Amino acid sequence: MSAGTPREVIKVLIVDDIPDTRENIRKLLAFEADIQVVGMAGTGREAVKIATDTRPDVVLMDINMPDMDGITATKAISTAVRTAAVVIISVQSEPGYLRQAMLAGARDYLTKPIASEELYTTIRRVYERNEPIRQQEASLGAALGRPLDAAHKPVAEQATGAGHVIVVYSPQGGVGVTTVATNLAAALMRPDTRVLLIDCNLQFGDVDAFLNLQSQSSIADLTKVVSDIDRELIDNVLMTHGSGLRVLVAPSHPEHAYDITTEAMQAVIAACTPLYDYIVLDAPVQYDDLTLKLFEMAERIVLVAVPTIPSVRNTRKMLEIFDNLEKPAKLSDKIVFVLNRTVNEKERGRGTVPAESIAAHLKKEVALSIPLDERTVLTSVNQGVPLVAKQKSRSPGKELAELAELLRKSIEADEEPPQTAEQQAQRSKSGLRALFGGTG
Ligand SMILES: Nc1ncnc2c1ncn2[C@@H]1O[C@H](COP(=O)(O)OP(=O)(O)OP(=O)(O)O)[C@@H](O)[C@H]1O
Ligand SMILES: [Mg+2]
């Protein structure tokens, strides 16, 4: 959150079986104007009930408790209330438990005794990191015309995925957005990673052609019925590529796109998001309300350009827009800049700009260059087989697979709690009084 913006109030639920500990934490939090304790629970079961009723933003969770332990409760809460970030509070470093807690969906941990400053910064940090999830839920709620509360969560209650949204975009057509999106989605797939690719080019989407899918249904079958979307309907509308990749294709005729509103698109994406680990969006070329909403929903924006002057000029204009837009978090922080159709120095003709000059001109690091190879790319499209599935060790399949790894790692890094002793030490500022728990 930028300086000067009034802080939103962060709703916190405290879970610990020892009444004194709960009370100590509550007192500590009472000093902070932007933190409000909305509930306290003494058991895991009670925590799940209160969390579903009050929908806290942050849950401070003890591990060892009677009836339901903190890890089981973390799993239940992370699934039922996606906007709730669970912070584990453990007695001492218990690496085994912590790992289990992280796998159950916890976003961070604190070790007793906890310093007040560390508690506040952790709460604020996990809250800020959950902004994209809050945006998604708000979009779904807005599109459904009601809040996505405990009484009505047709899709979220069946959530199973990590819900990372990646949008692939270029302000200029024909530069390789669909090539990157299809390959990225295919490369992110693993036996334990569920991926969904959504074609957001409503009028002239061609993801189905790239993947050789003969589709009977399309995204229009969901946008028409946003208030009735459930998992079964989504499953029926999605196509499955031979590789196992799930795909939501664009309408087969441009006129079917006329009535699709931005709100309906947001609702559909938000409904699909909790069911998948990665959701890759092939975004349309224009800069309008829909693309802006897609950027807001995304954790990463893969901005694709080619090394030509028109593409670089348009990219520059877009980067200026990203720099100036501040909602919800600075959009420019999410950008992964990719240069497609690059050629080596020998083959470079007039009108092709070297990658280094582009990076310098745009003041934006090129995360990855994908070489030009007309034949290989066209063959892959004609066969409907992504390059990363067929030729992962050869350019340009190699670079496309690298892009997927780069994104996976950077998204995972965002989620990881500090690992090393130095990072821990940095967080708990020296000299701060240990406030509760004593030696644990
Ligand atoms: N690295 C590459 N080398 C050679 N050809 C490529 C490369 N990347 C993409 N292409 C080709 O460029 C053309 C445009 O690619 P693609 O359809 O992915 O771009 P796009 O940005 O999605 O276009 P549109 O604006 O039409 O949606 C396609 O014919 C594709 O085969
Ligand atoms: Mg395209």
Side-chain angles (χ1 to χ4, degrees), residues 98-139:
L98 286 178
R99 205 182 119 71
Q100 280 182 44
M102 293 302 150
L103 290 173
R107 308 303 296 269
D108 210 333
Y109 66 90
L110 290 163
T111 312
K112 290 179 191 174
I114 300 169
S116 57
E117 208 55 37
E118 194 187 358
L119 177 65
Y120 306 149
T121 45
T122 304
I123 289 176
R124 289 180 186 124
R125 186 178 48 234
V126 295
Y127 174 78
E128 280 189 22
R129 274 201 208 152
N130 258 9
E131 180 63 35
I133 299 176
R134 278 195 296 283
Q135 285 281 329
Q136 285 163 1
E137 298 247 330
S139 312

Side-chain angles (χ1 to χ4, degrees), residues 170 172-180 201 206 210 282 285 340-341 370-374 377-378 381 396:
S170 163
Q172 173 160 322
V175 303
V177 167
T178 304
T179 305
V180 171
N201 293 266
D206 50 9
F210 269 66
D282 179 340
V285 75
N340 188 27
R341 305 177 69 109
I370 304 165
L372 175 97
D373 186 339
E374 300 279 2
V377 176
L378 269 180
V381 175

Side-chain angles (χ1 to χ4, degrees), residues 3 10-11 27 69 82 93 156-158 184 198 218 245 249 273 278 281 283 285 325 335 357 370 378 415 419-420:
I10 308 173
K11 297 191 287 173
K27 278 189 195 143
D69 66 82
R82 289 185 70 237
S93 271
E157 70 189 354
Q158 310 160 47
L184 176 59
I198 304 182
S218 81
L245 175 69
V249 300
T273 297
Y278 289 96
L281 309 178
V285 75
L325 286 168
I335 293 175
S357 316
I370 304 165
L378 269 180
E415 292 201 308
Q419 294 293 328
T420 63

